[in-house]
Amino acid sequence: MISVKQATDIVLENALPLPDETVSLHLAVGRALREPLTADRDFPPFDRVSMDGIAICFAMWEAGQRRFFIENIQAAGAPQLVLAQQEHCLEVMTGAMLPQGTDTVIRYEDLSIDAGFATILIEKIQRRQNIHEQGIDRKNGETIVAEGKLISPAELGVAATIGKSQLRVAALPRVCVLSSGDELVEVHETPLPHQIRKSNVHVMAAVLGTWGLASDLLHLPDDPAAIEETLGDCLKKYDVLLMSGGVSMGKFDHIPAALERLGVRQLFHKVSQRPGKPFWFGRSEGTVVFAFPGNPVSSFMCLHRYFWPWLRASQGLQVLENQYAALNEDYFFKPDLTYFLQVKLAAGQDGRLLATPVTGQGSGDLANLVDSDAFLELPLERKEFKAGEAFPIWRFR
Ligand code: AMP
Ligand code: MG
């Protein structure tokens, strides 16, 4: 059986190099940027007035002048005016170009205006105050967002301001989420005493949705011929199959054999972890197959712990450092397995993220996920974990 680390390495080695595609700016949030965003002008592109008021020549203030004749109004969106006489002033609006011949802006709140004159009411002003200086944020030609970043509304704002109505991003993989098992019925159905409603596929599709991925849903009965037929089709149509169930030691766990008959090469089966030990992973020419065990907490954990890093790597996104949280109480876990402990997270008064164990009834207890926020990854080599020790977290909330 391989370790979590080995399984992670194999999964990441099998990242699919997703091609580029171009999408309109408005559809770009949540996608992986495949080009740098470079300033096409200085940010801001001119000395920008940042307060409504008047613009003066500071030397006049220094010489003792307090009352200024208003020559004109410099509006935002109007070409730059020139102050005709340095002892005069111009009214200026936020977003306007600073008029030529002026170097200081005094806001209306610090003025009184009457009969075409502005009088400065405050005792202290500074040269170049209330001016957002040309190029102070970023310089023309500077890379503002590097390739390989996940686009959020902040990056979208940069793209808009440099005139990109379309962006080059990583294409998304075509994903199918499959449930398996004869005990499963649809959500709208009333299960017989020996049946349960499907939940995994809906949970998995919902998680994928939060990562910007659409998916199709399919079901496999516990019948080898039917499994092979459906999977054969899927391998032609999808880049990724995310399966739950049918990979353990049960008499009806036909999936690994069916996949191998279809030419999907097994890269590992079973990982020394709890939950999710029977996790099967393989690939064919064009499709990567994550076959997670059917227990709801197992498939949920594996999706976050393995598929999410795979997706980021396939999209060419920057590798993220693990986040950590400190255990809030001592914990003991005896088996020689990496344990993904369900925890509730809260930041203590010292700003440290604390993880409180939320012990449930194991990998079948999907209701326990409602009370927890993350999995805390407790290393296999250890059995005792002390309050205050920090471990990596995999957040799902
Ligand atoms: P398996 O991995 O097929 O042995 O399934 C393990 C457990 O998970 C069984 O109790 C199944 O009934 C349950 N299970 C499998 N698939 C699903 C699903 N899609 N939704 C909810 N429970 C499931
Ligand atoms: Mg099953």
Side-chain angles (χ1 to χ4, degrees), residues 179-180 183-184 196-200 244-246 248 253 293-296:
S179 51
S180 88
E183 72 278 31
L184 301 176
I196 59 167
R197 293 192 187 93
K198 273 181 208 175
S199 60
N200 292 356
S244 64
S248 306
D253 290 337
N295 269 310

Side-chain angles (χ1 to χ4, degrees), residues 47-53 92-98 105 107 128-133:
D47 280 346
R48 183 182 72 92
V49 172
S50 65
M51 285 286 178
D52 299 322
V92 289
M93 303 299 130
T94 301
M97 292 183 85
L98 183 71
V105 172
R107 37 177 220 160
R128 296 202 68 80
Q129 71 176 27
N130 299 325
I131 297 163
H132 188 188
E133 198 174 309

Side-chain angles (χ1 to χ4, degrees), residues 184-191 197:
L184 301 176
V185 299
E186 298 298 335
V187 176
H188 64 269
E189 292 181 295
T190 304
R197 293 192 187 93

Side-chain angles (χ1 to χ4, degrees), residues 382-395:
R382 308 251 315 264
K383 302 196 182 327
E384 278 180 61
F385 307 92
K386 292 280 169 222
E389 282 188 282
F391 299 99
I393 48 169
W394 299 86
R395 294 182 90 129

Side-chain angles (χ1 to χ4, degrees), residues 181-388:
D182 287 344
E183 72 278 31
L184 301 176
V185 299
E186 298 298 335
V187 176
H188 64 269
E189 292 181 295
T190 304
L192 295 169
H194 53 279
Q195 295 176 323
I196 59 167
R197 293 192 187 93
K198 273 181 208 175
S199 60
N200 292 356
V201 281
H202 304 296
V203 172
M204 286 168 53
V207 173
L208 297 180
T210 67
W211 298 335
L213 286 185
S215 52
D216 293 336
L217 303 188
L218 284 177
H219 180 71
L220 304 171
D222 286 325
D223 169 58
I227 291 175
E228 212 169 309
E229 193 185 328
T230 304
L231 287 181
D233 260 6
C234 287
L235 292 171
K236 291 187 206 122
K237 284 210 267 198
Y238 296 102
D239 302 309
V240 192
L241 305 186
L242 291 172
M243 309 172 61
S244 64
V247 294
S248 306
M249 303 295 286
K251 286 278 183 303
F252 304 99
D253 290 337
H254 301 303
I255 285 173
L259 285 167
E260 297 219 37
R261 282 198 298 279
L262 290 164
V264 183
R265 197 158 52 90
Q266 174 187 311
L267 297 171
F268 61 78
H269 188 190
K270 296 203 174 100
V271 182
S272 53
Q273 60 182 9
R274 182 177 294 169
K277 188 161 128 191
F279 174 22
W280 188 101
F281 181 73
R283 77 176 290 177
S284 65
E285 200 56 49
T287 307
V288 175
V289 180
F290 295 76
F292 302 135
N295 269 310
V297 181
S298 308
S299 55
F300 190 65
M301 187 285 284
C302 288
L303 187 67
H304 288 86
R305 180 63 183 78
Y306 298 99
F307 177 72
W308 184 73
W310 179 93
L311 176 66
R312 287 193 63 103
S314 298
Q315 291 176 306
L317 286 169
Q318 289 157 4
V319 178
L320 292 180
E321 294 294 320
N322 260 122
Q323 291 190 313
Y324 286 75
L327 261 178
N328 205 16
E329 53 192 67
D330 291 351
Y331 199 80
F332 188 77
F333 182 76
K334 187 148 179 266
D336 264 344
L337 300 168
T338 298
Y339 188 50
F340 290 91
L341 172 67
Q342 288 172 65
V343 293
K344 183 111 200 112
L345 296 174
Q349 291 210 339
D350 59 356
R352 229 180 154 207
L353 195 58
L354 296 178
T356 306
V358 184
T359 312
Q361 307 308 316
S363 59
D365 183 0
L366 80 167
N368 199 52
L369 291 172
V370 174
D371 298 323
S372 37
D373 300 318
F375 294 100
L376 191 70
E377 185 172 333
L378 303 179
L380 164 145
E381 311 80 51
R382 308 251 315 264
K383 302 196 182 327
E384 278 180 61
F385 307 92
K386 292 280 169 222

